[in-house]
Amino acid sequence: MNKVAVVTDSNSGITQEEARTLGIRVIAMPFFINGQIHYEDIDLTQKQFYEHLAEDIDVSTSQPSPGEVME
């Protein structure tokens, strides 16, 4: 029998903590801030993200790599 998992990304608004409670897997979206990679709700809070935007720091995003998704 195949296993089934519910997976979403962190743009869904579901936090890592909520996901653990609900049994959902949340893929953290990567953000590049001044050339360094950070992951939403892992090592970058929403507050920090908006602070960086307000400071006019170079912020960009990308999709997770296939390897990250498979993990």
Side-chain angles (χ1 to χ4, degrees):
M1 178 156 61
N2 294 333
K3 292 185 178 182
V4 175
V6 176
V7 180
T8 188
D9 64 49
S10 56
N11 289 325
S12 68
I14 298 172
T15 66
Q16 296 293 334
E17 185 176 329
E18 290 170 327
R20 280 189 289 277
T21 301
L22 298 170
I24 297 172
R25 302 278 182 161
V26 176
I27 299 169
M29 295 303 291
F31 287 93
F32 295 91
I33 300 173
N34 283 337
Q36 289 191 316
I37 192 165
H38 297 275
Y39 293 91
E40 185 175 16
D41 204 28
I42 301 292
D43 66 346
L44 180 69
T45 66
Q46 193 175 63
K47 180 182 177 195
Q48 290 169 321
F49 173 78
Y50 285 112
E51 286 171 354
H52 290 309
L53 287 180
E55 295 168 358
D56 200 29
I57 291 177
D58 183 31
V59 177
S60 63
T61 188
S62 179
Q63 62 187 14
S65 72
E68 291 172 321
V69 173
M70 294 304 293
E71 276 184 22

